[in-house]
């Protein structure tokens, strides 16, 4: 009967919700365990100077291989960690390990770590970073912090204090995913940024689309006028690179064209190959 069908459908619907709910609960429990057992790893992706093509820094990106589900992307587990109050533990782990790995690379190549809005509440970032640098014997000039517009707006006062102290110690602060968040630009002046990372969405069409190229060129010009180092994220083709080199003030590039995120040992090799 119609009533029975309706009931069946709603059971299927609830069944699906239960799966999603249980999957998330399972992931959360497993994430807590993975963090406790030191099972997260780091991958590093190089940022290159656009004209010399030398590696100037590498971004540390968290990786989790789940025992049953395989690779869980950070876009899934970082928000879970934020919900669970686990993000600060992950961030301080990333900071310590990124500093140690960077100290093993040749030359002056720096390392960049991502910081969440919640870390400004959960961590004394300047202290955590200073301890990690001392432990790894890494100078502050080789460490960078990446923070999104959303994070600095959500935690305006705490972010301002922490970033101010970090910048005063010679640590570069990058504004990440620029152009995807809030449209108010006032905080660009209020906070001590030294780098602007223009989001991948501004890069995809720069070869062949005049309006897209003009948009990227103007965003890059804004950054240059504010004395920021301008980085383009998500560069995948030579055509995109050529368009940026000829028509924009972009100074550094990051993307699959040069390298996917790699384990630290492979990055050490890559640095020798590119900078050697
Ligand atoms: P993000 O900070 O914007 O990092 C760049 C993302 O773009 C990385 O994804 C990277 O693998 C990807 N990517 C790089 N080049 C290309 C390209 O040429 N094409 C395309 N399509 N993608 C490219 P990933 O590693 O999956 O990380 C996703 C996001 O997760 C990061 O975005 C960041 O917001 C977050 N995340 C990763 N690790 C951490 C961490 O340790 N802490 C925090 N708070 N967030 C993290
Ligand atoms: Ca980033
Ligand atoms: Ca980014
Ligand atoms: Ca992004």
């Amino acid at each position: 009967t119609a009533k029975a069908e309706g009931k069946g459908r709603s059971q299927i619907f609830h069944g699906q919700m239960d799966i999603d709910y249980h999957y998330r609960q399972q992931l959360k429990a497993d994430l807590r365990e993975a963090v406790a057992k030191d099972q997260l790893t780091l991958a590093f992706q190089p940022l290159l100077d656009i004209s010399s093509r030398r590696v100037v820094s590498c971004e540390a990106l968290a990786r989790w291989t789940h025992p049953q589900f395989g690779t869980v992307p950070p876009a899934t587990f970082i928000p879970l960690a934020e919900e669970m109050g686990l993000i600060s533990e992950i961030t301080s782990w990333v900071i310590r390990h990124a500093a140690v790995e960077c100290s093993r690379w040749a030359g002056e190549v720096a390392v960049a770590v991502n910081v969440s809005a919640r870390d400004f509440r959960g961590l004394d970032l300047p202290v955590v970073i200073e301890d990690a640098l001392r432990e790894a014997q890494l100078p502050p000039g080789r460490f960078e912090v990446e923070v999104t517009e959303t994070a600095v707006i959500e935690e305006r006062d705490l972010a301002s204090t922490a970033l101010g102290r970090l910048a005063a110690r010679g640590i570069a602060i990058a504004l990440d995913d620029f152009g995807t968040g809030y449209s108010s630009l006032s905080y660009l002046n209020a906070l001590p940024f030294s780098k602007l990372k223009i989001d991948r969405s501004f890069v995809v069409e720069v070869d062949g689309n005049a309006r897209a190229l003009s948009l990227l060129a103007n965003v890059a010009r804004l950054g240059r006028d504010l004395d920021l180092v301008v980085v383009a994220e998500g560069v995948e083709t030579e055509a995109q690179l050529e368009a940026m080199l000829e028509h924009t003030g972009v100074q550094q590039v990051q993307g699959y064209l040069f390298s996917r995120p790699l384990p630290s040992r492979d990055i050490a090799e890559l640095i020798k190959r590119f900078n050697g």
Side-chain angles (χ1 to χ4, degrees):
T1 69
K3 198 178 168 190
E5 271 172 37
K7 197 178 169 208
R9 258 199 303 277
S10 89
Q11 271 170 350
I12 289 164
F13 180 63
H14 283 300
Q16 187 59 47
M17 298 230 315
D18 286 348
I19 289 166
D20 291 346
Y21 176 78
H22 286 303
Y23 176 66
R24 283 169 56 81
Q25 292 306 110
Q26 183 69 50
L27 275 187
K28 283 185 174 185
D30 295 344
L31 182 59
R32 198 178 290 286
E33 192 182 320
V35 169
K37 289 186 175 172
D38 209 10
Q39 287 169 348
L40 297 188
T41 58
L42 286 180
F44 297 89
Q45 189 180 35
L47 281 74
L48 292 86
D49 176 82
I50 193 167
S51 35
S52 70
R53 296 206 186 193
R54 287 173 70 85
V55 179
V56 288
S57 65
C58 293
E59 179 176 2
L61 295 158
R63 294 290 179 261
W64 180 27
T65 306
H66 188 280
Q68 286 113 55
F69 310 133
T71 303
V72 182
T76 301
F77 74 79
I78 294 291
L80 284 183
E82 287 170 345
E83 262 176 60
M84 295 163 69
L86 198 62
I87 189 65
S88 296
E89 204 175 325
I90 293 177
T91 301
S92 51
W93 179 89
V94 171
I95 288 168
R96 289 196 312 273
H97 283 257
V100 169
E101 295 307 330
C102 179
S103 73
R104 294 174 174 154
W105 303 334
E108 298 299 294
V109 174
V111 75
V113 301
N114 292 283
V115 159
S116 290
R118 290 190 175 233
D119 292 325
F120 293 116
R121 285 198 174 286
L123 290 176
D124 190 344
L125 274 176
V127 168
V128 171
I129 291 172
E130 203 160 89
D131 287 352
L133 295 182
R134 192 181 320 108
E135 193 92 347
Q137 295 187 290
L138 194 71
R142 289 181 63 189
F143 198 86
E144 301 177 357
V145 166
E146 297 192 3
V147 57
T148 63
E149 297 169 275
T150 319
V152 294
I153 283 165
E154 274 177 24
E155 291 295 349
R156 217 193 145 93
D157 295 343
L158 290 171
S160 169
T161 308
L163 298 181
R165 281 163 63 197
L166 289 167
R169 285 168 167 83
I171 289 160
I173 314 294
L175 182 55
D176 201 2
D177 298 345
F178 185 69
T180 62
Y182 294 77
S183 52
S184 159
L185 298 173
S186 55
Y187 63 85
L188 268 180
N189 252 346
L191 294 167
F193 297 115
S194 51
K195 206 172 217 188
L196 194 68
K197 296 190 79 177
I198 303 175
D199 190 70
R200 192 173 81 86
S201 54
F202 291 87
V203 171
V204 255
E205 287 189 287
V206 287
D207 54 320
N209 181 334
R211 293 173 68 87
L213 186 57
S214 171
L215 190 57
L216 178 68
N218 279 283
V219 174
R221 168 129 188 229
L222 169 70
R224 296 292 297 265
D225 284 350
L226 294 172
D227 283 327
L228 303 172
V229 173
V230 174
V231 185
E233 298 192 276
V235 181
E236 295 184 348
T237 68
E238 283 289 347
Q240 290 169 341
L241 183 69
E242 282 309 306
M244 284 191 282
L245 197 51
E246 281 177 39
H247 304 288
T248 78
V250 168
Q251 290 151 296
Q252 294 180 10
V253 281
Q254 176 180 8
Y256 295 165
L257 175 62
F258 308 101
S259 173
R260 300 221 163 222
L262 296 172
S264 179
R265 223 176 287 128
D266 298 341
I267 280 291
E269 287 303 311
L270 182 139
I271 291 169
K272 281 184 204 152
R273 204 154 23 91
F274 278 73
N275 296 12

